Amino acid sequence: MEIKAALISVIVPVYNVEAYLERCICSIISQSYKMLEIILVDDGSTDNSGKICDAYKEKDERIKVIHKSNAGPSVARNYGLQIASGNYIGFIDSDDYIAADMYEELYKCMKPGIDIVCCGSLSVEKHKKRIAFKTKGVTVFNREEALFELLKGELISFSACDKLFRKELIKGTRFPKARLCEDLPFTYQMIKGSNKVVNIGAVKYFYCYRENSR
């Protein structure tokens, strides 16, 4: 089902992930929700990641590519935020991938008064899989409840990637210039400034842990 509605900007920081990048990009361009602006930020990759980004830009007019010197995922995401023109913002890590209807399902719950919509995730490791941050059906949290669940780490994650944000909420907030745990302060600030947060109660994001990931 295609929903013709508001534009969603999807920001993907890219660094030396040539073995995973095409899977990630394909999972975005094949979304059932077609109104996407896909921003690939090549953070000074030394493998073929930058070339892969450029190749997909030629295939899909929704894709924009930024090539920059290496400075870490926070700076890459912030570059993406500078040019994002969507009404809503999503983030995906370039070694992960998403379900084909993720943004359609997240957007369905982005009603008036809702500022952030989350989904459950599946963490895929070498010898095990772990479902996390999944609620029993669609669950609505007010700001205080959402902050409590964020700190509990059970129903709302610190990750920016399993969420859709209303752009008005982000305003001038940016990711701190750190190479580890950069999501924590950003997501906290987003929820702290929100009105309500929704978890759709379904797994739509797939984290793929690997050695030397950042």
Side-chain angles (χ1 to χ4, degrees), residues 1-201:
M1 173 184 178
E2 179 179 344
I3 300 177
K4 293 184 178 179
L7 182 67
I8 296 175
S9 296
V10 183
I11 299 170
V12 185
V14 176
Y15 179 73
N16 289 357
V17 285
E18 61 182 4
Y20 307 91
L21 184 55
E22 291 196 62
R23 179 182 64 184
C24 175
I25 296 174
C26 287
S27 75
I28 303 171
I29 63 178
S30 62
Q31 287 289 294
S32 55
Y33 191 99
K34 302 302 182 185
M35 290 290 291
L36 300 178
E37 173 187 57
I38 304 164
I39 303 172
L40 306 178
V41 186
D42 172 28
D43 189 34
S45 297
T46 56
D47 64 0
N48 290 314
S49 295
K51 294 179 180 178
I52 293 172
C53 291
D54 290 336
Y56 274 92
K57 179 183 177 181
E58 296 300 317
K59 297 178 182 179
D60 194 317
E61 62 183 7
R62 298 174 298 172
I63 294 177
K64 298 179 180 179
V65 178
I66 299 172
H67 295 285
K68 57 177 291 297
S69 59
N70 180 253
S74 288
V75 176
R77 286 174 173 174
N78 292 339
Y79 265 76
L81 283 170
Q82 289 178 13
I83 69 167
S85 57
N87 306 91
Y88 302 94
I89 306 291
F91 301 94
I92 299 177
D93 285 340
S94 53
D95 50 358
D96 299 334
Y97 60 98
I98 58 177
D101 61 348
M102 180 174 126
Y103 283 117
E104 179 180 342
E105 294 302 314
L106 292 178
Y107 183 74
K108 281 180 181 179
C109 289
M110 191 62 83
K111 307 296 183 182
I114 305 298
D115 292 310
I116 305 170
V117 183
C118 319
C119 65
S121 61
L122 178 64
S123 301
V124 182
E125 301 178 45
K126 282 186 176 181
H127 303 295
K128 60 181 178 180
K129 295 181 179 180
R130 184 175 70 90
I131 294 176
F133 310 109
K134 181 177 179 295
T135 55
K136 295 180 179 179
V138 176
T139 306
V140 181
F141 305 96
N142 63 33
R143 181 191 301 113
E144 291 74 20
E145 292 168 338
L147 284 171
F148 179 69
E149 292 299 338
L150 182 70
L151 295 175
K152 279 175 61 181
E154 295 179 1
L155 300 181
I156 298 178
S157 77
F158 271 106
S159 174
C161 294
D162 53 10
K163 298 174 177 64
L164 182 64
F165 300 92
R166 192 179 295 275
K167 188 179 183 181
E168 295 171 354
L169 178 69
I170 297 177
K171 297 181 180 177
T173 304
R174 294 295 183 263
F175 288 86
K177 294 181 180 180
R179 290 179 181 266
L180 293 173
C181 302
E182 70 278 0
D183 287 23
L184 272 68
F186 180 85
T187 302
Y188 174 78
Q189 289 298 325
M190 291 300 96
I191 293 179
K192 184 180 178 182
S194 70
N195 181 32
K196 293 181 180 179
V197 178
V198 171
N199 189 315
I200 66 172

